[in-house]
Amino acid sequence: MGKNFSDSFLSRECVIRMVSGRFYLSCLLLGSLGSMCILFTIYWMQYWRGGFAWNGSIYMFNWHPVLMVAGMVVFYGGASLVYRLPQSWVGPKLPWKLLHAALHLMAFVLTVVGLVAVFTFHNHGRTANLYSLHSWLGITTVFLFACQWFLGFAVFLLPWASMWLRSLLKPIHVFFGAAILSLSIASVISGINEKLFFSLKNTTRPYHSLPSEAVFANSTGMLVVAFGLLVLYILLASSWKRPEPGILTDRQPLLHDGE
């Protein structure tokens, strides 16, 4: 029995070493892309749109794209990958569950502050709320995110839920995790497009003439897409998923994040 345990431990360590190198290289790329997404959005709002304030003016609106990119895309995407860390494969899962929930909560807080910024700006200028396709898509995404977080907290973090219930809800939790990220990317892309149409419609160089602001903002959108695709790839790559207990080969059925 002792020999079997030793072989099992060594096999697990071997699997972890095999996947760690490529995983952390992907994480380095992911971190660079995520940082660029946030920094590019900040630079766009600061250089072309006049900077930031918290007074109901257009400068208050400028917080909205920054916080939504940071919260709904970058922090959300990073939080989704907690269970892909090779260190999470061994030992108790509770610390990783807490980290997963805390990062998602941070993403949700940033998102709520971003919504406060845009709603306050609209109300201050007597502009209608939630009339565009972008706003419908965005508020739906935030609603699903809230439901997803509370479901995950209640079922997968608190100890009351049975294994049967967790097994039943796990595929739903996993599906909506990836779906919310995809919807977040779609919301950001539509928001960038809408912002450019509104901001450049009465200028000497309108959107269709592709001024430098449009090139920069479009490039920011492409960075967001690249970040989201890489997150989804890491989530779906079978060799980077948490192994089921007792299954230690490098091609195995694997657990999903959030359970």
Side-chain angles (χ1 to χ4, degrees):
M1 180 176 178
K3 183 179 185 301
N4 289 338
F5 176 81
S6 177
D7 290 344
S8 173
F9 178 80
L10 290 174
S11 298
R12 182 178 290 272
E13 290 298 312
C14 181
V15 171
I16 292 175
R17 285 196 299 269
M18 284 169 52
V19 302
S20 290
R22 287 184 296 120
F23 176 83
Y24 287 118
L25 183 62
S26 297
C27 283
L28 180 62
L29 177 59
L30 193 69
S32 300
L33 284 172
S35 299
M36 290 173 67
C37 288
I38 297 173
L39 292 174
F40 271 47
T41 309
I42 292 173
Y43 186 80
W44 176 24
M45 294 297 107
Q46 181 67 47
Y47 184 77
W48 278 285
R49 296 292 114 207
F52 303 92
W54 198 264
N55 55 8
S57 68
I58 187 63
Y59 306 116
M60 184 173 182
F61 171 88
N62 291 345
W63 283 109
H64 175 68
V66 172
L67 292 171
M68 302 311 277
V69 168
M72 288 299 297
V73 177
V74 177
F75 274 84
Y76 183 94
S80 300
L81 299 179
V82 164
Y83 289 103
R84 299 301 182 263
L85 290 168
Q87 288 86 347
S88 72
W89 295 6
V90 294
K93 291 183 66 177
L94 181 59
W96 302 103
K97 289 183 178 184
L98 292 172
L99 179 61
H100 182 69
L103 289 175
H104 274 304
L105 181 60
M106 186 180 300
F108 187 72
V109 169
L110 291 173
T111 299
V112 169
V113 177
L115 289 178
V116 170
V118 68
F119 277 100
T120 302
F121 164 69
H122 282 176
N123 294 337
H124 188 267
R126 301 187 184 278
T127 302
N129 291 303
L130 301 177
Y131 64 89
S132 66
L133 178 59
H134 162 67
S135 62
W136 288 15
L137 185 61
I139 205 68
T140 299
T141 305
V142 174
F143 174 75
L144 290 175
F145 183 16
C147 294
Q148 172 84 340
W149 192 89
F150 284 110
L151 173 69
F153 180 82
V155 175
F156 298 110
L157 188 59
L158 297 181
W160 69 272
S162 66
M163 290 302 299
W164 174 85
L165 181 60
R166 292 184 179 186
S167 298
L168 177 67
L169 294 179
K170 182 177 72 175
I172 299 173
H173 188 66
V174 171
F175 168 77
F176 275 102
I180 290 167
L181 178 62
S182 301
L183 289 170
S184 298
I185 295 168
S187 300
V188 167
I189 298 305
S190 63
I192 290 173
N193 208 35
E194 183 178 284
K195 177 62 176 176
L196 288 172
F197 273 121
F198 284 155
S199 299
L200 300 176
K201 65 180 179 179
N202 293 320
T203 61
T204 55
R205 293 201 63 193
Y207 191 10
H208 65 79
S209 68
L210 209 62
S212 57
E213 179 181 359
V215 172
F216 188 87
N218 287 350
S219 300
T220 302
M222 294 303 295
L223 285 173
V224 169
V225 171
F227 177 88
L229 290 177
L230 183 56
V231 171
L232 292 174
Y233 172 76
I234 294 174
L235 285 174
L236 295 174
S238 61
S239 61
W240 290 340
K241 295 179 183 178
R242 180 185 173 102
E244 294 280 5
I247 302 176
L248 300 170
T249 61
D250 59 349
R251 294 180 178 271
Q252 67 261 19
L254 304 163
L255 291 175
H256 296 281
D257 48 305
E259 60 197 299

